[in-house]
Amino acid sequence: MSRPIDAKDRAAVKRLHKQGKSRNDIARAIKRSPSTVSKIAAAFEPPLTFERGAEVVAATEARRIDLAARRVTLAEQLHQDAEKLRTQLWKPCTIGAFGGKDNVWSQTSLEQPTFADQRNILAATGTAIQQSLKLQPAEGGEGADQVRSMLGTLGEVLTQAATDADDDGGAHGG
């Protein structure tokens, strides 16, 4: 059974609330549950509140900015990985495997990776690039369709204007 709320608890909640402490900080300080602190705060006239709307908004925005910066960094790293993978396509390499009845390691030097290895390198390169672009779209990637549409419309208008100008010239005997 929990101990009853007394005047000492009420005074402590009021004092700590006035100091700007959060509900959970007050609960820890007076060794009560956060729900008990809420109950005590609600009994005051006017009730004490623990709204931290502005703080939550600021913390959320800071987190969003931090995650955006981390996505940019990760996208750059993935792009660098893709570039490193791409350089392996045509470089000399050494391949090796265990084989034979005695399961002996053997290796061979090649002028470039095997076709299957090149295919795997290209697949890994493509994956790294796709993921980097998902994290940080290329400039012009967003809204490119709108730009194409605008340019198409502009081209149609200019063509129509040129056609209208030609028609006017013929009507005036020009």
Side-chain angles (χ1 to χ4, degrees):
M1 182 170 242
S2 62
R3 68 177 187 178
I5 298 170
D6 58 22
K8 183 179 172 186
D9 292 327
R10 289 185 192 89
V13 167
K14 193 169 202 172
R15 178 177 43 82
L16 293 170
H17 181 271
K18 196 176 240 181
Q19 293 175 8
K21 302 287 185 189
S22 71
R23 182 191 67 161
N24 291 347
D25 288 340
I26 294 171
R28 279 189 289 276
I30 67 170
K31 295 181 176 47
R32 295 291 226 156
S33 72
S35 62
T36 300
V37 172
S38 292
K39 192 182 298 181
I40 294 169
F44 284 106
E45 191 55 49
L48 305 178
T49 62
F50 297 99
E51 294 180 21
R52 300 179 331 176
E55 293 172 16
V56 171
V57 169
T60 301
E61 181 64 11
R63 176 84 171 137
R64 186 191 66 74
I65 290 168
D66 181 51
L67 289 175
R70 290 172 65 188
R71 278 193 307 274
V72 168
T73 300
L74 183 56
E76 289 171 358
Q77 291 170 343
L78 281 168
H79 203 78
Q80 290 168 358
D81 292 344
E83 290 171 350
K84 288 176 189 174
L85 285 166
R86 172 74 175 74
T87 63
Q88 294 177 22
L89 278 174
W90 309 108
K91 285 189 172 183
C93 65
T94 302
I95 59 171
F98 287 100
K101 103 179 169 185
D102 297 326
N103 203 24
V104 176
W105 177 259
S106 64
Q107 59 186 39
T108 304
S109 293
L110 300 174
E111 289 182 29
Q112 64 190 44
T114 65
F115 178 76
D117 288 337
Q118 285 179 322
R119 187 176 58 217
N120 289 335
I121 291 168
L122 280 174
T125 301
T127 299
I129 291 170
Q130 284 177 334
Q131 295 306 315
S132 81
L133 290 173
K134 282 183 182 177
L135 290 169
Q136 184 65 34
E139 288 184 33
E142 294 179 24
D145 289 337
Q146 289 177 331
V147 171
R148 278 190 222 97
S149 176
M150 180 190 71
L151 291 175
T153 302
L154 180 60
E156 290 172 12
V157 169
L158 291 173
T159 302
Q160 184 62 43
T163 304
D164 289 347
D166 289 343
D167 289 345
D168 287 347
H172 293 37

Short mmCIF file of all heavy atoms in Angstrom, two decimals, residues 67-119:
data_model
loop_
_atom_site.label_atom_id
_atom_site.label_comp_id
_atom_site.label_asym_id
_atom_site.label_seq_id
_atom_site.Cartn_x
_atom_site.Cartn_y
_atom_site.Cartn_z
N LEU A 67 19.72 14.32 -37.70
CA LEU A 67 19.53 13.15 -38.56
C LEU A 67 19.74 13.50 -40.04
O LEU A 67 20.30 12.69 -40.79
CB LEU A 67 18.14 12.55 -38.34
CG LEU A 67 17.94 11.84 -37.00
CD1 LEU A 67 16.49 11.40 -36.85
CD2 LEU A 67 18.88 10.66 -36.87
N ALA A 68 19.32 14.68 -40.45
CA ALA A 68 19.53 15.10 -41.84
C ALA A 68 21.02 15.20 -42.14
O ALA A 68 21.49 14.76 -43.20
CB ALA A 68 18.83 16.44 -42.10
N ALA A 69 21.78 15.76 -41.21
CA ALA A 69 23.23 15.87 -41.41
C ALA A 69 23.87 14.48 -41.45
O ALA A 69 24.78 14.23 -42.26
CB ALA A 69 23.85 16.70 -40.29
N ARG A 70 23.40 13.59 -40.62
CA ARG A 70 23.94 12.22 -40.61
C ARG A 70 23.60 11.50 -41.92
O ARG A 70 24.42 10.73 -42.43
CB ARG A 70 23.42 11.46 -39.40
CG ARG A 70 24.04 11.99 -38.10
CD ARG A 70 23.42 11.41 -36.86
NE ARG A 70 23.67 9.99 -36.76
CZ ARG A 70 23.10 9.21 -35.85
NH1 ARG A 70 22.28 9.72 -34.96
NH2 ARG A 70 23.37 7.93 -35.81
N ARG A 71 22.40 11.75 -42.47
CA ARG A 71 22.03 11.13 -43.75
C ARG A 71 22.94 11.62 -44.86
O ARG A 71 23.36 10.85 -45.73
CB ARG A 71 20.57 11.43 -44.08
CG ARG A 71 19.59 10.52 -43.40
CD ARG A 71 18.19 10.63 -44.00
NE ARG A 71 17.68 11.98 -44.06
CZ ARG A 71 17.05 12.59 -43.06
NH1 ARG A 71 16.86 11.98 -41.93
NH2 ARG A 71 16.60 13.82 -43.21
N VAL A 72 23.26 12.91 -44.85
CA VAL A 72 24.14 13.47 -45.87
C VAL A 72 25.51 12.81 -45.78
O VAL A 72 26.09 12.39 -46.79
CB VAL A 72 24.26 15.01 -45.73
CG1 VAL A 72 25.38 15.56 -46.58
CG2 VAL A 72 22.94 15.67 -46.09
N THR A 73 26.04 12.69 -44.56
CA THR A 73 27.35 12.07 -44.36
C THR A 73 27.33 10.62 -44.83
O THR A 73 28.25 10.17 -45.53
CB THR A 73 27.75 12.14 -42.87
OG1 THR A 73 27.81 13.52 -42.50
CG2 THR A 73 29.08 11.48 -42.62
N LEU A 74 26.29 9.88 -44.45
CA LEU A 74 26.20 8.48 -44.84
C LEU A 74 26.06 8.35 -46.36
O LEU A 74 26.68 7.47 -46.98
CB LEU A 74 25.03 7.79 -44.14
CG LEU A 74 24.86 6.30 -44.41
CD1 LEU A 74 26.13 5.53 -44.04
CD2 LEU A 74 23.67 5.77 -43.64
N ALA A 75 25.29 9.23 -46.98
CA ALA A 75 25.15 9.20 -48.44
C ALA A 75 26.50 9.44 -49.12
O ALA A 75 26.83 8.76 -50.10
CB ALA A 75 24.13 10.25 -48.90
N GLU A 76 27.27 10.38 -48.60
CA GLU A 76 28.60 10.64 -49.16
C GLU A 76 29.51 9.43 -49.01
O GLU A 76 30.24 9.06 -49.92
CB GLU A 76 29.23 11.86 -48.48
CG GLU A 76 28.57 13.17 -48.87
CD GLU A 76 29.04 14.35 -48.03
OE1 GLU A 76 29.88 14.17 -47.12
OE2 GLU A 76 28.57 15.46 -48.30
N GLN A 77 29.45 8.77 -47.84
CA GLN A 77 30.27 7.59 -47.61
C GLN A 77 29.88 6.45 -48.55
O GLN A 77 30.74 5.74 -49.08
CB GLN A 77 30.18 7.14 -46.15
CG GLN A 77 30.85 8.10 -45.19
CD GLN A 77 30.54 7.78 -43.74
OE1 GLN A 77 29.61 7.07 -43.41
NE2 GLN A 77 31.34 8.36 -42.85
N LEU A 78 28.57 6.27 -48.76
CA LEU A 78 28.11 5.23 -49.68
C LEU A 78 28.57 5.52 -51.10
O LEU A 78 28.94 4.61 -51.84
CB LEU A 78 26.58 5.11 -49.64
CG LEU A 78 26.01 4.34 -48.46
CD1 LEU A 78 24.51 4.55 -48.35
CD2 LEU A 78 26.34 2.87 -48.56
N HIS A 79 28.55 6.78 -51.47
CA HIS A 79 29.01 7.15 -52.81
C HIS A 79 30.51 6.89 -52.95
O HIS A 79 30.97 6.40 -53.99
CB HIS A 79 28.68 8.62 -53.09
CG HIS A 79 28.60 8.93 -54.54
ND1 HIS A 79 27.51 8.61 -55.30
CD2 HIS A 79 29.50 9.47 -55.38
CE1 HIS A 79 27.74 8.97 -56.55
NE2 HIS A 79 28.95 9.50 -56.62
N GLN A 80 31.28 7.18 -51.91
CA GLN A 80 32.71 6.88 -51.93
C GLN A 80 32.94 5.37 -52.02
O GLN A 80 33.84 4.91 -52.74
CB GLN A 80 33.39 7.44 -50.67
CG GLN A 80 33.47 8.95 -50.65
CD GLN A 80 33.87 9.51 -49.29
OE1 GLN A 80 34.07 8.78 -48.34
NE2 GLN A 80 33.97 10.83 -49.22
N ASP A 81 32.13 4.60 -51.29
CA ASP A 81 32.23 3.13 -51.37
C ASP A 81 31.97 2.66 -52.80
O ASP A 81 32.68 1.79 -53.32
CB ASP A 81 31.22 2.46 -50.43
CG ASP A 81 31.54 2.67 -48.96
OD1 ASP A 81 32.69 3.07 -48.65
OD2 ASP A 81 30.65 2.43 -48.13
N ALA A 82 30.97 3.25 -53.44
CA ALA A 82 30.66 2.88 -54.83
C ALA A 82 31.84 3.18 -55.74
O ALA A 82 32.18 2.38 -56.63
CB ALA A 82 29.40 3.62 -55.30
N GLU A 83 32.48 4.32 -55.53
CA GLU A 83 33.64 4.67 -56.35
C GLU A 83 34.80 3.70 -56.13
O GLU A 83 35.47 3.28 -57.08
CB GLU A 83 34.09 6.11 -56.04
CG GLU A 83 33.10 7.15 -56.54
CD GLU A 83 33.40 8.55 -56.06
OE1 GLU A 83 34.28 8.72 -55.18
OE2 GLU A 83 32.76 9.49 -56.56
N LYS A 84 35.03 3.29 -54.88
CA LYS A 84 36.08 2.32 -54.58
C LYS A 84 35.78 0.97 -55.22
O LYS A 84 36.67 0.32 -55.78
CB LYS A 84 36.23 2.14 -53.06
CG LYS A 84 36.86 3.32 -52.36
CD LYS A 84 36.88 3.08 -50.85
CE LYS A 84 37.30 4.32 -50.09
NZ LYS A 84 37.19 4.13 -48.64
N LEU A 85 34.52 0.56 -55.13
CA LEU A 85 34.13 -0.71 -55.76
C LEU A 85 34.33 -0.64 -57.27
O LEU A 85 34.84 -1.58 -57.88
CB LEU A 85 32.65 -1.03 -55.45
CG LEU A 85 32.35 -1.52 -54.04
CD1 LEU A 85 30.85 -1.45 -53.77
CD2 LEU A 85 32.87 -2.94 -53.86
N ARG A 86 33.92 0.46 -57.87
CA ARG A 86 34.01 0.62 -59.32
C ARG A 86 35.45 0.49 -59.81
O ARG A 86 35.71 -0.07 -60.88
CB ARG A 86 33.42 1.98 -59.70
CG ARG A 86 33.59 2.41 -61.14
CD ARG A 86 32.65 1.64 -62.05
NE ARG A 86 32.69 2.10 -63.42
CZ ARG A 86 33.67 1.86 -64.28
NH1 ARG A 86 34.72 1.17 -63.92
NH2 ARG A 86 33.60 2.31 -65.53
N THR A 87 36.41 0.99 -59.04
CA THR A 87 37.81 0.91 -59.48
C THR A 87 38.33 -0.53 -59.51
O THR A 87 39.31 -0.81 -60.20
CB THR A 87 38.73 1.75 -58.57
OG1 THR A 87 38.70 1.23 -57.24
CG2 THR A 87 38.34 3.22 -58.57
N GLN A 88 37.67 -1.42 -58.80
CA GLN A 88 38.12 -2.82 -58.77
C GLN A 88 37.79 -3.59 -60.06
O GLN A 88 38.36 -4.64 -60.30
CB GLN A 88 37.47 -3.57 -57.60
CG GLN A 88 37.89 -3.09 -56.25
CD GLN A 88 37.16 -3.83 -55.14
OE1 GLN A 88 36.66 -4.92 -55.34
NE2 GLN A 88 37.11 -3.21 -53.98
N LEU A 89 36.89 -3.05 -60.86
CA LEU A 89 36.42 -3.77 -62.06
C LEU A 89 37.55 -4.17 -63.01
O LEU A 89 37.50 -5.24 -63.61
CB LEU A 89 35.41 -2.93 -62.83
CG LEU A 89 33.98 -2.96 -62.32
CD1 LEU A 89 33.13 -1.97 -63.11
CD2 LEU A 89 33.40 -4.36 -62.42
N TRP A 90 38.53 -3.32 -63.20
CA TRP A 90 39.53 -3.56 -64.23
C TRP A 90 40.95 -3.69 -63.66
O TRP A 90 41.91 -3.69 -64.40
CB TRP A 90 39.48 -2.44 -65.27
CG TRP A 90 38.08 -2.22 -65.76
CD1 TRP A 90 37.26 -1.17 -65.48
CD2 TRP A 90 37.32 -3.12 -66.57
NE1 TRP A 90 36.03 -1.35 -66.07
CE2 TRP A 90 36.05 -2.55 -66.75
CE3 TRP A 90 37.57 -4.36 -67.15
CZ2 TRP A 90 35.04 -3.15 -67.48
CZ3 TRP A 90 36.57 -4.96 -67.89
CH2 TRP A 90 35.32 -4.36 -68.05
N LYS A 91 41.07 -3.80 -62.35
CA LYS A 91 42.38 -3.93 -61.73
C LYS A 91 42.80 -5.40 -61.63
O LYS A 91 41.93 -6.28 -61.50
CB LYS A 91 42.37 -3.33 -60.32
CG LYS A 91 42.36 -1.83 -60.31
CD LYS A 91 42.58 -1.33 -58.90
CE LYS A 91 42.75 0.17 -58.93
NZ LYS A 91 43.04 0.69 -57.61
N PRO A 92 44.09 -5.66 -61.67
CA PRO A 92 44.56 -7.02 -61.44
C PRO A 92 44.12 -7.50 -60.06
O PRO A 92 43.97 -6.71 -59.13
CB PRO A 92 46.08 -6.91 -61.51
CG PRO A 92 46.34 -5.65 -62.25
CD PRO A 92 45.18 -4.74 -61.95
N CYS A 93 43.87 -8.80 -59.94
CA CYS A 93 43.43 -9.34 -58.66
C CYS A 93 43.98 -10.75 -58.47
O CYS A 93 44.49 -11.37 -59.41
CB CYS A 93 41.91 -9.36 -58.59
SG CYS A 93 41.15 -10.48 -59.79
N THR A 94 43.89 -11.22 -57.28
CA THR A 94 44.29 -12.58 -56.95
C THR A 94 43.08 -13.30 -56.41
O THR A 94 42.38 -12.77 -55.52
CB THR A 94 45.41 -12.57 -55.89
OG1 THR A 94 46.51 -11.82 -56.40
CG2 THR A 94 45.87 -13.97 -55.55
N ILE A 95 42.79 -14.47 -56.97
CA ILE A 95 41.69 -15.27 -56.46
C ILE A 95 42.26 -16.55 -55.89
O ILE A 95 43.32 -17.03 -56.32
CB ILE A 95 40.63 -15.57 -57.55
CG1 ILE A 95 41.24 -16.33 -58.72
CG2 ILE A 95 39.97 -14.30 -58.02
CD1 ILE A 95 40.21 -16.84 -59.71
N GLY A 96 41.60 -17.10 -54.91
CA GLY A 96 42.09 -18.32 -54.30
C GLY A 96 40.96 -19.18 -53.79
O GLY A 96 39.84 -18.71 -53.59
N ALA A 97 41.28 -20.46 -53.59
CA ALA A 97 40.28 -21.39 -53.09
C ALA A 97 40.97 -22.64 -52.57
O ALA A 97 42.09 -22.96 -52.96
CB ALA A 97 39.29 -21.76 -54.19
N PHE A 98 40.29 -23.33 -51.67
CA PHE A 98 40.76 -24.64 -51.23
C PHE A 98 40.21 -25.66 -52.21
O PHE A 98 39.09 -25.54 -52.69
CB PHE A 98 40.25 -24.96 -49.82
CG PHE A 98 40.92 -24.18 -48.74
CD1 PHE A 98 40.32 -23.07 -48.18
CD2 PHE A 98 42.17 -24.56 -48.29
CE1 PHE A 98 40.94 -22.35 -47.18
CE2 PHE A 98 42.81 -23.85 -47.29
CZ PHE A 98 42.20 -22.74 -46.73
N GLY A 99 40.99 -26.65 -52.56
CA GLY A 99 40.50 -27.64 -53.50
C GLY A 99 41.38 -28.87 -53.56
O GLY A 99 42.38 -29.00 -52.85
N GLY A 100 40.99 -29.76 -54.42
CA GLY A 100 41.72 -31.02 -54.59
C GLY A 100 41.38 -31.99 -53.49
O GLY A 100 40.69 -31.69 -52.53
N LYS A 101 41.92 -33.20 -53.64
CA LYS A 101 41.59 -34.25 -52.68
C LYS A 101 42.16 -33.94 -51.31
O LYS A 101 41.63 -34.38 -50.30
CB LYS A 101 42.02 -35.60 -53.24
CG LYS A 101 43.24 -36.20 -52.71
CD LYS A 101 43.53 -37.54 -53.31
CE LYS A 101 44.95 -37.86 -52.86
NZ LYS A 101 45.52 -39.00 -53.36
N ASP A 102 43.25 -33.17 -51.25
CA ASP A 102 43.85 -32.82 -49.96
C ASP A 102 43.36 -31.46 -49.44
O ASP A 102 43.86 -30.99 -48.42
CB ASP A 102 45.37 -32.78 -50.09
CG ASP A 102 45.96 -34.14 -50.44
OD1 ASP A 102 45.37 -35.15 -49.98
OD2 ASP A 102 46.96 -34.19 -51.17
N ASN A 103 42.42 -30.86 -50.14
CA ASN A 103 41.86 -29.57 -49.77
C ASN A 103 42.96 -28.53 -49.53
O ASN A 103 43.05 -27.88 -48.50
CB ASN A 103 40.96 -29.70 -48.54
CG ASN A 103 39.95 -28.56 -48.45
OD1 ASN A 103 39.60 -27.94 -49.45
ND2 ASN A 103 39.48 -28.28 -47.26
N VAL A 104 43.78 -28.35 -50.55
CA VAL A 104 44.93 -27.46 -50.50
C VAL A 104 44.55 -26.09 -51.04
O VAL A 104 43.81 -25.98 -52.02
CB VAL A 104 46.10 -28.06 -51.32
CG1 VAL A 104 47.28 -27.11 -51.38
CG2 VAL A 104 46.51 -29.40 -50.77
N TRP A 105 45.07 -25.05 -50.41
CA TRP A 105 44.83 -23.68 -50.88
C TRP A 105 45.64 -23.42 -52.12
O TRP A 105 46.84 -23.71 -52.17
CB TRP A 105 45.22 -22.69 -49.78
CG TRP A 105 45.07 -21.25 -50.21
CD1 TRP A 105 46.05 -20.41 -50.61
CD2 TRP A 105 43.86 -20.50 -50.30
NE1 TRP A 105 45.55 -19.18 -50.93
CE2 TRP A 105 44.18 -19.20 -50.75
CE3 TRP A 105 42.52 -20.79 -50.05
CZ2 TRP A 105 43.24 -18.21 -50.94
CZ3 TRP A 105 41.58 -19.80 -50.25
CH2 TRP A 105 41.93 -18.53 -50.69
N SER A 106 44.99 -22.88 -53.14
CA SER A 106 45.72 -22.46 -54.33
C SER A 106 45.17 -21.10 -54.75
O SER A 106 44.01 -20.79 -54.51
CB SER A 106 45.57 -23.48 -55.46
OG SER A 106 44.22 -23.56 -55.87
N GLN A 107 46.05 -20.31 -55.37
CA GLN A 107 45.61 -18.98 -55.80
C GLN A 107 46.21 -18.67 -57.16
O GLN A 107 47.23 -19.22 -57.55
CB GLN A 107 45.97 -17.92 -54.78
CG GLN A 107 47.43 -17.77 -54.45
CD GLN A 107 47.63 -16.77 -53.32
OE1 GLN A 107 46.85 -16.73 -52.37
NE2 GLN A 107 48.68 -15.98 -53.42
N THR A 108 45.52 -17.77 -57.86
CA THR A 108 45.92 -17.38 -59.20
C THR A 108 45.80 -15.87 -59.32
O THR A 108 44.85 -15.27 -58.81
CB THR A 108 44.99 -18.04 -60.25
OG1 THR A 108 45.01 -19.44 -60.06
CG2 THR A 108 45.39 -17.70 -61.65
N SER A 109 46.74 -15.26 -60.01
CA SER A 109 46.66 -13.83 -60.29
C SER A 109 46.01 -13.64 -61.65
O SER A 109 46.35 -14.34 -62.61
CB SER A 109 48.07 -13.22 -60.29
OG SER A 109 48.61 -13.26 -59.00
N LEU A 110 45.08 -12.70 -61.72
CA LEU A 110 44.37 -12.40 -62.97
C LEU A 110 44.59 -10.94 -63.34
O LEU A 110 44.80 -10.09 -62.48
CB LEU A 110 42.87 -12.67 -62.80
CG LEU A 110 42.45 -14.08 -62.42
CD1 LEU A 110 40.95 -14.12 -62.15
CD2 LEU A 110 42.81 -15.06 -63.53
N GLU A 111 44.48 -10.65 -64.65
CA GLU A 111 44.62 -9.26 -65.10
C GLU A 111 43.44 -8.41 -64.64
O GLU A 111 43.56 -7.20 -64.48
CB GLU A 111 44.73 -9.22 -66.61
CG GLU A 111 46.06 -9.75 -67.12
CD GLU A 111 46.17 -9.64 -68.64
OE1 GLU A 111 45.56 -8.71 -69.22
OE2 GLU A 111 46.87 -10.47 -69.23
N GLN A 112 42.29 -9.05 -64.46
CA GLN A 112 41.09 -8.37 -63.97
C GLN A 112 40.19 -9.43 -63.34
O GLN A 112 40.39 -10.62 -63.59
CB GLN A 112 40.37 -7.63 -65.09
CG GLN A 112 39.83 -8.55 -66.18
CD GLN A 112 39.33 -7.78 -67.39
OE1 GLN A 112 40.01 -6.86 -67.83
NE2 GLN A 112 38.20 -8.16 -67.91
N PRO A 113 39.22 -9.03 -62.53
CA PRO A 113 38.33 -10.01 -61.91
C PRO A 113 37.58 -10.84 -62.96
O PRO A 113 37.40 -10.39 -64.10
CB PRO A 113 37.35 -9.15 -61.11
CG PRO A 113 38.06 -7.86 -60.88
CD PRO A 113 38.92 -7.67 -62.10
N THR A 114 37.12 -12.01 -62.56
CA THR A 114 36.32 -12.83 -63.46
C THR A 114 35.03 -12.11 -63.79
O THR A 114 34.63 -11.17 -63.08
CB THR A 114 35.99 -14.19 -62.80
OG1 THR A 114 35.15 -13.94 -61.67
CG2 THR A 114 37.24 -14.95 -62.40
N PHE A 115 34.35 -12.56 -64.84
CA PHE A 115 33.10 -11.93 -65.23
C PHE A 115 32.10 -11.96 -64.08
O PHE A 115 31.44 -10.96 -63.79
CB PHE A 115 32.51 -12.62 -66.47
CG PHE A 115 31.18 -12.05 -66.88
CD1 PHE A 115 31.12 -10.84 -67.54
CD2 PHE A 115 29.99 -12.69 -66.55
CE1 PHE A 115 29.90 -10.29 -67.90
CE2 PHE A 115 28.77 -12.15 -66.91
CZ PHE A 115 28.72 -10.95 -67.59
N ALA A 116 31.98 -13.10 -63.39
CA ALA A 116 31.04 -13.21 -62.26
C ALA A 116 31.41 -12.22 -61.16
O ALA A 116 30.52 -11.58 -60.57
CB ALA A 116 31.04 -14.63 -61.73
N ASP A 117 32.70 -12.09 -60.88
CA ASP A 117 33.12 -11.13 -59.86
C ASP A 117 32.85 -9.69 -60.31
O ASP A 117 32.44 -8.84 -59.51
CB ASP A 117 34.60 -11.32 -59.52
CG ASP A 117 34.86 -12.59 -58.73
OD1 ASP A 117 33.91 -13.09 -58.07
OD2 ASP A 117 36.01 -13.08 -58.76
N GLN A 118 33.08 -9.41 -61.60
CA GLN A 118 32.78 -8.06 -62.11
C GLN A 118 31.29 -7.76 -61.98
O GLN A 118 30.89 -6.66 -61.61
CB GLN A 118 33.22 -7.93 -63.57
CG GLN A 118 34.72 -7.80 -63.73
CD GLN A 118 35.13 -7.70 -65.19
OE1 GLN A 118 34.55 -8.38 -66.05
NE2 GLN A 118 36.12 -6.86 -65.45
N ARG A 119 30.45 -8.76 -62.29
CA ARG A 119 29.01 -8.59 -62.16
C ARG A 119 28.64 -8.29 -60.70
O ARG A 119 27.83 -7.41 -60.43
CB ARG A 119 28.29 -9.84 -62.67
CG ARG A 119 26.79 -9.68 -62.72
CD ARG A 119 26.10 -10.88 -63.32
NE ARG A 119 26.45 -12.05 -62.52
CZ ARG A 119 26.67 -13.27 -63.02
NH1 ARG A 119 26.54 -13.48 -64.30
NH2 ARG A 119 26.98 -14.27 -62.23
#
